[in-house]
Amino acid sequence: EGSGVSSGTTLTVGGVVAGVNGVRMFKSFPVVASDTLASTGVADGKLMRFKITADSHGPVGLFGLDFTIATSSFATGGGVTAIKVMVYSDTGYSQTVSGSYGVSTGQFGETAQPTANLAAFNATTTGYSPLQIPAGTTYYFQVEGTVSSTQVGTSVTTTLNGDAAYIASANLNIGTVGPTVPLTSSTTGALADDNDDFIWSGNATTTTPANGNDWANGYGILGLPSGGFSQTRSN
């Protein structure tokens, strides 16, 4: 049913089929895009660049990001370690965003070693809160690490993972997260969902991370395919 703004009359339509897919509505939403990074020079430790823009209707809270790191042709003992995600407010990737959303200024979440070539980051450990991207604002993200013992043929492919299905209705809050619980270890809420690679909030009810049912994943997000997108850098 619907109500007329001017008349105040309520119109009820009968015969509607129950169980249709319906429409999900958000106060605000993120738009994701890859950004430019030279295809060579991986020894500098820069692995990937992308940007996230909050819609003009309100800020967007970013809680979790998930990456796949694939490497090839390093010299013996070489590889990529100490992976982290840095957040900048400018296109030149020089001005870090202030706030308490990581272990140090400008860093999103914690520094993680890749486990089975997977690096997951979230903003909730001691003293962290979701990264809030102001309405209509773009933040710039750089995945970086320590790259050692490169040689001819060395390459690193970094993928920002997307989600293949919408988050289950039972998992719309963040779930059980404590001071040291990583993104992949929660047993309830969004972090326990099968599709938890890109966790964000439109802040419809609260900007606090845990109990509000504002949380969604990367399914259907503009610019983020279900399989994610990748950047490859070589020696």
Side-chain angles (χ1 to χ4, degrees):
E1 65 179 34
S3 297
V5 174
S6 299
S7 67
T9 301
T10 298
L11 174 66
T12 302
V13 179
V16 177
V17 178
V20 297
N21 289 333
V23 176
R24 298 186 187 274
M25 300 181 69
F26 299 91
K27 180 180 179 180
S28 189
F29 59 89
V31 176
V32 183
S34 179
D35 207 4
T36 303
L37 187 59
S39 61
T40 57
V42 71
D44 63 10
K46 299 173 184 177
L47 306 180
M48 183 183 209
R49 282 180 173 178
F50 62 96
K51 51 192 177 183
I52 301 176
T53 302
D55 183 71
S56 60
H57 289 88
V60 166
L62 185 64
F63 184 84
L65 297 170
D66 192 274
F67 301 88
T68 301
I69 312 293
T71 64
S72 66
S73 301
F74 276 86
T76 302
V80 183
T81 58
I83 299 168
K84 60 184 178 180
V85 181
M86 300 299 294
V87 189
Y88 300 90
S89 59
D90 65 306
T91 58
Y93 291 80
S94 62
Q95 302 297 318
T96 55
V97 174
S98 62
S100 181
Y101 52 88
V103 294
S104 62
T105 300
Q107 184 174 332
F108 181 82
E110 71 283 0
T111 299
Q113 302 291 339
T115 301
N117 292 327
L118 194 67
F121 302 89
N122 71 81
T124 297
T125 56
T126 303
Y128 303 1
S129 58
L131 169 65
Q132 296 293 336
I133 305 175
T137 299
T138 299
Y139 279 171
Y140 301 83
F141 296 75
Q142 181 168 275
V143 184
E144 55 189 59
T146 300
V147 178
S148 59
S149 300
T150 61
Q151 60 183 355
V152 174
T154 292
S155 69
V156 180
T157 298
T158 306
T159 302
L160 172 62
N161 294 313
D163 291 300
Y166 191 70
I167 201 167
S169 59
N171 293 333
L172 294 178
N173 59 13
I174 284 300
T176 304
V177 247
T180 59
V181 174
L183 182 65
T184 54
S185 298
S186 179
T187 57
T188 62
L191 302 185
D193 198 271
D194 290 339
N195 292 280
D196 62 355
D197 291 338
F198 186 93
I199 304 298
W200 65 280
S201 172
N203 296 317
T205 61
T206 178
T207 57
T208 57
N211 295 322
N213 289 328
D214 281 343
W215 297 96
N217 63 5
Y219 181 65
I221 292 300
L222 295 175
L224 183 61
S226 60
F229 59 79
S230 305
Q231 287 183 345
T232 298
R233 299 197 74 204
S234 60
N235 190 28

